[in-house]
mmCIF file of all heavy atoms in Angstrom:
data_model
loop_
_atom_site.group_PDB
_atom_site.id
_atom_site.type_symbol
_atom_site.label_atom_id
_atom_site.label_comp_id
_atom_site.label_asym_id
_atom_site.label_seq_id
_atom_site.Cartn_x
_atom_site.Cartn_y
_atom_site.Cartn_z
ATOM 1 N N CYS Z 251 110.934 84.792 116.630
ATOM 2 C CA CYS Z 251 111.789 85.162 117.794
ATOM 3 C C CYS Z 251 113.056 85.826 117.282
ATOM 4 O O CYS Z 251 113.331 85.844 116.167
ATOM 5 C CB CYS Z 251 112.057 83.988 118.684
ATOM 6 S SG CYS Z 251 113.125 82.793 117.862
ATOM 7 N N GLU Z 253 115.972 84.870 117.810
ATOM 8 C CA GLU Z 253 117.066 83.950 117.519
ATOM 9 C C GLU Z 253 117.056 83.339 116.127
ATOM 10 O O GLU Z 253 117.936 82.565 115.794
ATOM 11 C CB GLU Z 253 117.102 82.777 118.612
ATOM 12 C CG GLU Z 253 117.740 83.196 119.879
ATOM 13 C CD GLU Z 253 116.962 84.049 120.803
ATOM 14 O OE1 GLU Z 253 115.829 84.368 120.407
ATOM 15 O OE2 GLU Z 253 117.399 84.474 121.824
ATOM 16 N N THR Z 254 115.978 83.518 115.450
ATOM 17 C CA THR Z 254 115.975 82.914 114.085
ATOM 18 C C THR Z 254 115.385 83.985 113.049
ATOM 19 O O THR Z 254 114.524 84.828 113.383
ATOM 20 C CB THR Z 254 115.094 81.663 114.061
ATOM 21 O OG1 THR Z 254 115.187 81.124 112.716
ATOM 22 C CG2 THR Z 254 113.691 81.853 114.405
ATOM 23 N N HIS Z 259 107.078 81.173 115.660
ATOM 24 C CA HIS Z 259 106.566 80.144 116.514
ATOM 25 C C HIS Z 259 105.091 80.291 116.567
ATOM 26 O O HIS Z 259 104.525 81.368 116.877
ATOM 27 C CB HIS Z 259 107.168 80.341 117.918
ATOM 28 C CG HIS Z 259 108.645 80.020 118.051
ATOM 29 N ND1 HIS Z 259 109.108 78.820 118.008
ATOM 30 C CD2 HIS Z 259 109.745 80.799 118.115
ATOM 31 C CE1 HIS Z 259 110.384 78.798 118.097
ATOM 32 N NE2 HIS Z 259 110.866 80.086 118.122
ATOM 33 N N CYS Z 314 114.495 75.430 117.743
ATOM 34 C CA CYS Z 314 114.854 76.713 117.595
ATOM 35 C C CYS Z 314 115.882 77.022 118.683
ATOM 36 O O CYS Z 314 115.799 76.620 119.792
ATOM 37 C CB CYS Z 314 113.682 77.623 117.636
ATOM 38 S SG CYS Z 314 114.056 79.412 117.387
ATOM 39 N N ALA Z 315 116.809 77.911 118.325
ATOM 40 C CA ALA Z 315 117.942 78.316 119.284
ATOM 41 C C ALA Z 315 117.360 78.979 120.604
ATOM 42 O O ALA Z 315 118.014 79.075 121.567
ATOM 43 C CB ALA Z 315 118.878 79.240 118.607
ATOM 44 N N CYS Z 316 116.187 79.503 120.493
ATOM 45 C CA CYS Z 316 115.627 80.184 121.600
ATOM 46 C C CYS Z 316 115.124 79.424 122.682
ATOM 47 O O CYS Z 316 114.836 79.751 123.828
ATOM 48 C CB CYS Z 316 114.446 81.185 121.067
ATOM 49 S SG CYS Z 316 112.983 80.231 120.746
ATOM 50 N N GLY Z 317 115.028 78.038 122.344
ATOM 51 C CA GLY Z 317 114.523 77.094 123.402
ATOM 52 C C GLY Z 317 113.005 76.852 123.396
ATOM 53 O O GLY Z 317 112.520 75.928 124.026
ATOM 54 N N ARG Z 318 112.319 77.653 122.626
ATOM 55 C CA ARG Z 318 110.849 77.349 122.520
ATOM 56 C C ARG Z 318 110.679 76.104 121.774
ATOM 57 O O ARG Z 318 111.265 75.820 120.747
ATOM 58 C CB ARG Z 318 110.167 78.503 121.845
ATOM 59 C CG ARG Z 318 110.079 79.787 122.726
ATOM 60 C CD ARG Z 318 109.345 80.975 122.025
ATOM 61 N NE ARG Z 318 109.419 82.097 122.852
ATOM 62 C CZ ARG Z 318 110.379 82.988 122.904
ATOM 63 N NH1 ARG Z 318 111.426 82.789 122.154
ATOM 64 N NH2 ARG Z 318 110.298 83.952 123.750
ATOM 65 N N ARG Z 322 107.460 76.159 114.249
ATOM 66 C CA ARG Z 322 107.440 77.423 113.508
ATOM 67 C C ARG Z 322 106.727 77.322 112.139
ATOM 68 O O ARG Z 322 106.704 76.222 111.607
ATOM 69 C CB ARG Z 322 108.915 77.921 113.172
ATOM 70 C CG ARG Z 322 109.540 78.537 114.395
ATOM 71 C CD ARG Z 322 111.107 78.779 114.153
ATOM 72 N NE ARG Z 322 111.882 77.490 114.250
ATOM 73 C CZ ARG Z 322 113.047 77.341 113.725
ATOM 74 N NH1 ARG Z 322 113.597 78.316 113.034
ATOM 75 N NH2 ARG Z 322 113.637 76.134 113.823
HETATM 76 ZN ZN1 LIG W 501 112.768 80.621 118.517
#
Side-chain angles (χ1 to χ4, degrees):
Chain Z
C251 68
E253 278 79 0
T254 183
H259 291 286
C314 183
C316 72
R318 289 179 181 85
R322 280 171 286 160

